[in-house]
Amino acid sequence: MKRKPSTETTAAWIRLMRVQTRVLNAVEQDLKKAGFPPLAWYDALLELSRAPAGELRPVELEKQMLLPQYSTSRLIDRLVDEGLAVRRECKIDKRGQFVEITEAGRELQKKMWSAYSAGIEKHVGSKLSDTDAVKLCGLLDRLGCSCVETPSLAVKDGAPAR
């Protein structure tokens, strides 16, 4: 017979799902109030800005952001339409393409970070001590959520680790 989760494990799961939804929704609202586009735009621009030469294949961006393909395609279309990214043909594989961040995209990502970081502080940092945050990271890492980055690299040039 397969083992079922304990009552405590189920309660932890429910809390984890609820807090994720609530905090993300709150941060999204903070970005909206500040006049910025959705958090997915920030995440895409962040991943592009971190990539070598500021470009990724759409499938690589999809994997980094953990979004379904159709959502990533629409997001890329919006970023391109707004001049925040451009599509480039792959010189080696003419069928492939790259998405490259523009200077306007880099600027928006940096501006969004001010509202995003304030939201993180408001909805998470103000509720946890640094010691609590380290403990929480350890627990999440045990669930396979490690960002593989050291704490000193967690925020660099307005680009937080995810």
Side-chain angles (χ1 to χ4, degrees):
M1 187 164 109
K2 293 182 182 177
R3 183 174 178 234
K4 293 184 180 179
S6 67
T7 303
E8 295 80 6
T9 299
T10 303
W13 171 257
I14 291 168
R15 284 179 173 85
L16 184 61
M17 293 298 99
R18 285 181 181 165
V19 76
Q20 180 214 13
T21 299
R22 288 179 182 153
V23 171
L24 281 175
N25 287 342
V27 169
E28 285 279 6
Q29 286 303 310
D30 291 347
L31 287 173
K32 188 175 184 177
K33 286 177 189 172
F36 290 117
L39 187 55
W41 288 40
Y42 177 88
D43 286 343
L45 294 171
L46 174 64
E47 293 304 333
L48 290 171
S49 71
R50 286 179 165 176
E55 63 183 23
L56 291 170
R57 288 182 179 263
V59 69
E60 294 169 325
L61 184 59
E62 177 185 326
K63 286 177 186 173
Q64 290 295 103
M65 294 186 58
L66 305 174
L67 289 175
Q69 186 273 327
Y70 63 88
S71 294
T72 305
S73 295
R74 280 187 274 183
L75 177 58
I76 291 168
D77 289 343
R78 289 183 189 116
L79 295 175
V80 169
D81 290 346
E82 294 293 324
L84 303 171
V86 294
R87 293 180 196 271
R88 286 192 317 91
E89 183 180 86
C90 178
K91 292 177 180 132
I92 298 169
D93 174 8
K94 299 291 183 190
R95 296 172 296 162
Q97 63 175 283
F98 284 96
V99 179
E100 182 179 1
I101 191 168
T102 63
E103 195 55 41
R106 289 182 191 281
E107 288 302 313
L108 178 62
Q109 184 260 320
K110 287 176 185 172
K111 288 177 184 174
M112 286 181 77
W113 174 238
S114 64
Y116 187 13
S117 63
I120 292 170
E121 177 56 28
K122 177 181 174 184
H123 303 292
V124 179
S126 67
K127 295 168 176 51
L128 299 175
S129 68
D130 288 346
T131 302
D132 289 340
V134 168
K135 287 178 186 175
L136 180 58
C137 286
L139 291 169
L140 293 171
D141 287 351
R142 286 173 45 193
L143 296 176
C145 301
S146 177
C147 291
V148 191
E149 294 190 46
T150 60
S152 63
L153 297 177
V155 176
K156 181 182 174 191
D157 300 326
R162 293 188 311 134

